[in-house]
Amino acid sequence: MTDAILIFTFSPIQSFISEARRAADLYAGSKILSQLANAAGKAIGETNLIFPANLDASDTPNKLVARVPFEQAEQIADAAKKELLKKWKDDIAKSARDELAKYDPKPNGIWDTIWNRQIDRVWEIYWAACMIEGDAYSAAYKQAGRALDAVKRTRAFEQAEEDGLKDTLSGRRSALRVAGTDAKAYWKSISQSNHLNPSQLRPDGKERLDALGAVKRFCKIADAENFASVSMVATKEYVEKATSALAFPPFRTAVEQLLREEIYRVRNDVLWPYDGDLFFSETLTAERLKDSYGLQQPDPHRLEQAQRALKKLHDEIGKPSPYYAIIQLDGDSMGEAIDRCEDAEQHQAFSESLADFAKQVRDDIVEKHHGTLIYNGGDDVLALAPLSQALPLARALADAFSKTVTGCHASAGIAIAHHLYPLDVALNAARRAEKMAKGVDGKNAVCVRALKRSGETLEARSSWTALADNFEKVVSFFIEDNATHTSALSSRLVYDVIRSAYALTQADESFQSELYRLLTRHRNSKHPNAPQAKEWAERLTQWAKQLPNQSEELGKWLAIARFIAQGGGE
């Protein structure tokens, strides 16, 4: 019996994931996609799969490649489609509907109409198969890929009327509602349930969900309910430090007495089971406590006590950074790497190397850098990290990928955002940063986009090779010493280098001489970590020579280094 290459995929992916207000939405969306792909993969048959190598090694990607009998290709693809839709409708979506049905008002006719329309029309499923003639595996794979692309281009869109108030996550689809009331009133009523807190659903109808948003928010996905918020990600390292401080016990007591029954647990930690936003002074205000915790009228005396206790904690160990990072890592030229596989065995071995990398990501790399893993698909990783760990984590992921997947490299996009910044916008910034990194000659690169709360965006690119340890060393030069409140380099250096770059655009001898002058001027010679002006003028010049825009790009990297060193301080 003649075999064929079967490629099976489905969409939308990016929009489904990015329509998220909370990190838990992001996580749930990624896990839903993985579960759908996993169901399709099992229908195809794990022994038939070439990619991924193992359905349990990582999050299952939305593109599956298998070797199947040619005569059965259509039957197998149809079975995969049916299992994917069954998993979606009868398991994932049903669990969310059952959960929502516990709250008042109960779903009725108009609610069901909206639900069924949106649930039934979300997934676009495609497949293509090509017969393997003799030993021409590579040719069959390429032809199947071209056929799949053609199928996607000829897809027909089914029009659907989405009337009434739109959901607040996508802004495009009708928010769920019941007869006799509008969507805002419906979701206001749902938010008043004793089983929900403002973190799960914003109060007063401020958050309105359509069927897809409701599925991500209410379906039964393991770990999603207590998944770390971006505030918790931003303060992860700080919380570990805070719980050992002398001022911590009075602070925790004051917060618990202030919020009382309104406080909610988000993590299984004895010392601090609450969210990280409570370590920011801006949270301990009447307006924010009402919006984030549903505390209508905080007791003035207890609020003042909590504010004083937090100030004492800040005086003892400093303030936490309100910024965190989204890291999007993707293998470079994966299509070309697969095209080099001459047979199924080589393709299978390549898939197994990706599975080995995914295991390292899951078991070691992300946790070691205090990160939070969202998606881990082999050549595609999405993670969150505290500000200080953004570059170290991305670098560790890229290094592991290069060592594990022979002959391949990975590029990363990093978006740095304030913990109150809209998550979907920050996620799009990370994707843009990844595309910018992919634009570096030879790739194997990183791009950082720092979204400052002032509205300014800092953006810089570099190859990993050129970056070396230069960036982390420069960050250390800008970090203030706790005792003396001084740093090895003055912040003014950044402005002067950027100003000089306008005239000295090339990283040549003239630019190096200017760097030497500026480093001599702005280094703190009394600081134990003070850089040697001559050495670092040369190092920075050599780095700048390898950057896309040379001296201008170096100035941007210095600005980002100072921003990270100051914890996002302006």
Side-chain angles (χ1 to χ4, degrees), residues 374-392:
I374 298 288
Y375 179 78
N376 178 23
D379 67 323
D380 186 9
V381 178
L382 179 62
L384 309 178
L387 177 61
S388 65
Q389 294 296 317
L391 260 295

Side-chain angles (χ1 to χ4, degrees), residues 336-558:
E336 295 176 12
I338 294 172
D339 287 346
R340 292 194 293 268
C341 297
E342 297 179 357
D343 52 39
E345 288 71 25
Q346 289 185 14
H347 196 167
Q348 184 79 35
F350 182 77
S351 298
E352 288 172 356
S353 69
L354 293 175
D356 289 342
F357 168 68
K359 186 176 186 300
Q360 295 177 53
V361 173
R362 183 189 65 230
D363 296 344
D364 179 46
I365 300 174
V366 173
E367 183 176 348
K368 183 178 179 180
H369 290 84
H370 302 279
T372 300
L373 189 60
I374 298 288
Y375 179 78
N376 178 23
D379 67 323
D380 186 9
V381 178
L382 179 62
L384 309 178
L387 177 61
S388 65
Q389 294 296 317
L391 260 295
L393 173 53
R395 181 60 181 263
L397 290 170
D399 286 347
F401 189 88
S402 298
K403 292 176 183 177
T404 307
V405 187
T406 305
C408 294
H409 299 288
S411 295
I414 301 173
I416 296 172
H418 194 277
H419 73 115
L420 296 180
Y421 198 79
L423 179 60
D424 58 338
V425 179
L427 184 62
N428 287 333
R431 289 184 176 134
R432 172 179 165 80
E434 183 204 327
K435 290 181 180 178
M436 295 293 291
K438 296 280 189 179
V440 174
D441 290 343
K443 302 174 184 177
N444 188 29
V446 60
C447 175
V448 177
R449 300 196 82 217
L451 310 175
K452 299 174 69 173
R453 206 176 188 191
S454 63
E456 179 187 2
T457 297
L458 302 174
E459 181 179 273
R461 299 178 294 164
S462 174
S463 69
W464 287 117
T465 303
L467 194 70
D469 66 342
N470 291 321
F471 182 77
E472 291 183 39
K473 289 289 293 182
V474 172
V475 170
S476 72
F477 294 150
F478 286 119
I479 294 177
E480 286 191 359
D481 182 83
N482 289 332
T484 63
H485 298 291
T486 61
S487 58
L489 279 177
S490 166
S491 293
R492 295 298 309 171
L493 173 72
V494 176
Y495 300 108
D496 286 351
V497 169
I498 291 174
R499 189 180 299 110
S500 297
Y502 284 114
L504 302 171
T505 59
Q506 300 300 309
D508 52 19
E509 291 184 3
S510 297
F511 183 66
Q512 184 171 330
S513 297
E514 176 66 0
L515 284 177
Y516 176 75
R517 183 184 73 84
L518 294 177
L519 285 165
T520 302
R521 177 183 179 185
H522 292 297
R523 68 186 292 270
N524 181 356
S525 59
K526 297 180 180 180
H527 197 284
N529 193 35
Q532 295 298 316
K534 182 178 180 181
E535 174 194 352
W536 274 93
E538 182 177 353
R539 283 184 65 164
L540 292 177
T541 301
Q542 292 303 314
W543 181 18
K545 285 181 179 179
Q546 303 173 71
L547 295 175
N549 295 308
Q550 298 210 5
S551 57
E552 177 187 353
E553 200 88 22
L554 177 66
K556 295 176 181 178
W557 276 111
L558 294 178

Side-chain angles (χ1 to χ4, degrees), residues 28-225:
S30 297
K31 291 303 174 186
I32 288 170
L33 293 173
S34 178
Q35 289 186 15
L36 296 179
N38 196 279
K42 289 180 178 177
I44 291 171
E46 292 189 64
T47 57
N48 295 327
L49 285 175
I50 295 172
F51 177 77
N54 187 331
L55 290 176
D56 298 321
S58 63
D59 291 317
T60 308
N62 72 307
K63 182 178 180 180
L64 307 171
V65 180
R67 182 169 185 162
V68 301
F70 180 73
E71 292 81 359
Q72 298 176 22
E74 183 174 359
Q75 176 185 348
I76 291 172
D78 187 55
K81 177 179 179 179
K82 288 180 179 177
E83 286 302 312
L84 185 153
L85 294 177
K86 180 181 178 181
K87 180 69 176 179
W88 167 245
K89 294 179 67 174
D90 298 343
D91 183 0
I92 298 172
K94 184 179 182 301
S95 71
R97 191 192 190 287
D98 290 346
E99 182 66 21
L100 272 171
K102 297 177 182 178
Y103 309 128
D104 291 321
K106 306 297 183 185
N108 59 21
I110 190 171
W111 192 101
D112 285 331
T113 297
I114 298 171
W115 177 272
N116 291 332
R117 179 181 71 238
Q118 294 175 350
I119 292 297
D120 290 346
R121 296 181 179 183
V122 58
W123 302 118
E124 301 167 10
I125 299 173
Y126 313 98
W127 65 273
C130 181
M131 182 186 298
I132 303 173
E133 297 182 358
D135 296 327
Y137 173 87
S138 180
Y141 175 80
K142 293 175 184 177
Q143 188 172 341
R146 289 192 294 268
L148 186 68
D149 290 339
V151 171
K152 289 182 179 180
R153 287 195 296 271
T154 58
R155 67 188 185 274
F157 291 97
E158 188 175 0
Q159 297 296 322
E161 183 180 353
E162 297 287 342
D163 61 348
L165 286 173
K166 301 301 186 286
D167 72 291
T168 50
L169 294 185
S170 79
R172 296 182 290 108
R173 295 181 293 270
S174 301
L176 291 167
R177 65 184 189 276
V178 296
T181 186
D182 65 12
K184 183 175 181 179
Y186 168 76
W187 284 106
K188 178 180 180 180
S189 179
I190 296 293
S191 71
Q192 292 171 344
S193 168
N194 292 331
H195 300 288
L196 297 173
N197 61 57
S199 171
Q200 295 169 303
L201 185 67
R202 297 191 67 190
D204 300 325
K206 294 177 181 177
E207 188 166 34
R208 306 179 300 275
L209 303 177
D210 69 339
L212 305 189
V215 168
K216 286 188 281 188
R217 193 67 58 86
F218 292 97
C219 74
K220 298 302 180 183
I221 294 289
D223 302 325
E225 186 174 346

Side-chain angles (χ1 to χ4, degrees), residues 214-270:
V215 168
K216 286 188 281 188
R217 193 67 58 86
F218 292 97
C219 74
K220 298 302 180 183
I221 294 289
D223 302 325
E225 186 174 346
N226 292 321
F227 195 78
S229 68
V230 293
S231 300
M232 197 69 245
V233 171
T235 57
K236 195 169 185 179
E237 292 178 297
Y238 185 85
V239 169
E240 293 179 5
K241 182 179 179 181
T243 52
S244 300
L246 294 174
F248 174 74
F251 166 69
R252 173 172 174 167
T253 299
V255 167
E256 290 175 336
Q257 290 178 345
L258 169 65
L259 289 169
R260 301 176 70 84
E261 66 273 6
E262 304 295 343
I263 200 167
Y264 51 83
R265 295 171 178 262
V266 297
R267 56 202 296 261
N268 296 319
D269 185 276
V270 175

